[in-house]
């Protein structure tokens, strides 16, 4: 499988393909042409073929793609079968929302535990996820496999907490704090969801339509 | 101000510039070169100059950018001074989290009201936002100015609800439902935050480092 120098734009389209193929699968569709897939996603057929060519050969001339096969292949490329483990730091409103509503399993992740400083939640479970004290964090990380930490903490502690976790050996962060977190370690991967950036993009589009 | 055919990539970088300039302003920095700004953001200086040239002339050769001026200008381009009004549909966990923690005002938005079907929350206020019944939605939209609807509802109702709202005259949607919403009306702007896409992107980066 070819995978060198895949651009950020291509990587960000992969989950969209995966999501679209999940929907097609759910609708019972067996095969789809790159043209039809492109129409559903507002992408050109040649873009799709070019994106997928970064990862191997998919589809057949005149037949198109087998929906289930391509779904499985892209899932494999995305690592959904890698059984990643994550823990969450910050069991406040957003943490609650994610624990109750987000389907971690569908992305191949298991949320094993959450950590917080509030005595009211420590020792409880939220949607079967046990909430521990922050004092127990180091011990937990030393004795469990943790691939990703979900950061749903206040902005003010995001950077220092990340540094503490990198020091503990954590190399993956899913950052909801709306601040840019930096890390000099090239092995560390940080993926941020910036709500404000998204709303400002919408603001721009409304102002300029 | 030139604003035709600005690419999606440039539009998506504008909020990042705005955020970075806010931080520089908060740190008390008065001016910055495109080179230094680029280093802070992991973007090349020429990319920054090229992006900003889509909107006019900013900065001075040998001086760089005045932080406060550029912050104000980009805020203006993004429409943060347009005083947009939004309402939220779905006051569940994620709705709660946004009402409590997200600074709508900093993006130039006022969250005026939220709507839900649960009797337990209807008639209450969450962080000063009044929660109304879904039965009151049509009447509210007819008698108030609403620029954007925040969709924090279950996936299953997202598309039909959007169609109902477009019919009521709503042209802006901030979509948290993790489904792709479509609308044939070219004036309607839909901005989606796909949590799953973000986590799958992280999954890819972890699997391929």
């Amino acid at each position: 499988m070819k995978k060198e120098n895949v651009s950020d734009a291509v990587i960000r389209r992969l989950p969209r393909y995966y999501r679209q193929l999940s929907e097609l699968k759910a609708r019972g569709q067996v095969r789809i042409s790159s043209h039809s897939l492109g129409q559903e996603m507002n992408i050109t057929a040649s873009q799709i073929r070019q994106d997928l060519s970064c990862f191997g050969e998919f589809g057949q001339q005149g037949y198109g793609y087998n929906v289930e096969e391509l779904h499985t292949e892209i899932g494999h490329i995305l690592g959904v079968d890698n059984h990643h483990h994550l823990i969450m730091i910050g069991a406040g409103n957003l943490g609650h929302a994610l624990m109750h509503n987000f389907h971690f399993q569908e992305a191949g992740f298991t949320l094993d535990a959450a950590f917080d400083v509030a005595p009211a939640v420590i020792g409880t479970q939220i949607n079967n996820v046990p909430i521990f004290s922050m004092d127990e964090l180091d011990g937990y990380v030393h004795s469990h496999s943790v691939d990703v930490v979900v950061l749903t903490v206040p902005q003010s502690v995001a950077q220092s907490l990340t540094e503490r976790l990198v020091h503990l050996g954590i190399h993956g962060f899913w950052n909801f704090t709306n601040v840019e977190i930096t890390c000099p370690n090239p092995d560390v991967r940080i993926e941020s969801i910036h709500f404000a950036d998204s709303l400002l993009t919408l603001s721009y589009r409304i102002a300029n339509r």
Side-chain angles (χ1 to χ4, degrees), chain A residues 148-198:
Chain A
V148 169
V149 169
V150 188
L151 293 174
T152 44
V153 291
Q155 294 188 2
S156 54
V157 300
Q159 180 66 41
S160 59
L161 180 61
T162 303
E163 286 164 18
R164 175 177 162 195
L165 287 159
V166 170
H167 192 71
L168 288 171
I170 304 290
H171 283 172
F173 293 90
W174 198 23
N175 169 33
F176 283 84
T177 66
N178 210 40
V179 287
E180 215 70 62
I181 294 170
T182 56
C183 177
N185 184 333
D187 287 335
V188 171
R189 296 287 176 271
I190 301 169
E191 166 71 18
S192 300
I193 292 201
H194 288 299
F195 290 179
D197 288 14
S198 172

Side-chain angles (χ1 to χ4, degrees), chain A residues 14-32:
Chain A
L14 286 178
R16 291 183 57 203
Y17 293 131
Y18 189 67
R19 185 154 40 85
Q20 189 65 39
L21 289 161
S22 301
E23 279 179 37
L24 291 169
K25 229 180 95 175
R27 280 189 238 153
Q29 195 161 333
V30 174
R31 65 171 171 143
I32 192 163

Side-chain angles (χ1 to χ4, degrees), chain A residues 38-164:
Chain A
Q39 278 192 318
E40 300 232 16
M41 297 181 63
N42 208 15
I43 298 176
T44 65
S46 74
Q47 179 76 74
I48 293 177
R49 288 193 296 266
Q50 200 181 314
D51 286 355
L52 295 180
S53 73
C54 299
F55 304 98
E57 291 189 19
F58 304 96
Q60 273 177 29
Q61 193 86 37
Y63 175 87
Y65 304 107
N66 177 297
V67 169
E68 184 152 1
E69 270 177 32
L70 189 58
H71 180 260
T72 303
E73 290 280 4
I74 293 180
H76 182 67
I77 294 165
L78 287 169
V80 299
D81 38 16
N82 285 355
H83 306 293
H84 289 126
H85 288 266
L86 35 72
I87 61 172
M88 178 181 285
I89 306 201
N93 289 302
L94 183 58
H96 264 79
L98 289 169
M99 284 188 267
H100 277 293
N101 303 128
F102 185 74
H103 301 122
F104 288 97
Q105 295 283 357
E106 285 179 15
F109 284 79
T110 307
L111 177 59
D112 293 321
F115 295 82
D116 204 291
V117 291
V121 292
I122 293 166
T124 68
Q125 291 207 342
I126 299 173
N127 203 15
N128 296 317
V129 178
I131 316 298
F132 298 112
S133 156
M134 282 298 282
D135 298 335
E136 300 170 84
L137 180 61
D138 293 31
Y140 183 95
V141 171
H142 284 309
S143 57
H144 293 77
S145 164
V146 178
D147 301 294
V148 169
V149 169
V150 188
L151 293 174
T152 44
V153 291
Q155 294 188 2
S156 54
V157 300
Q159 180 66 41
S160 59
L161 180 61
T162 303
E163 286 164 18
R164 175 177 162 195

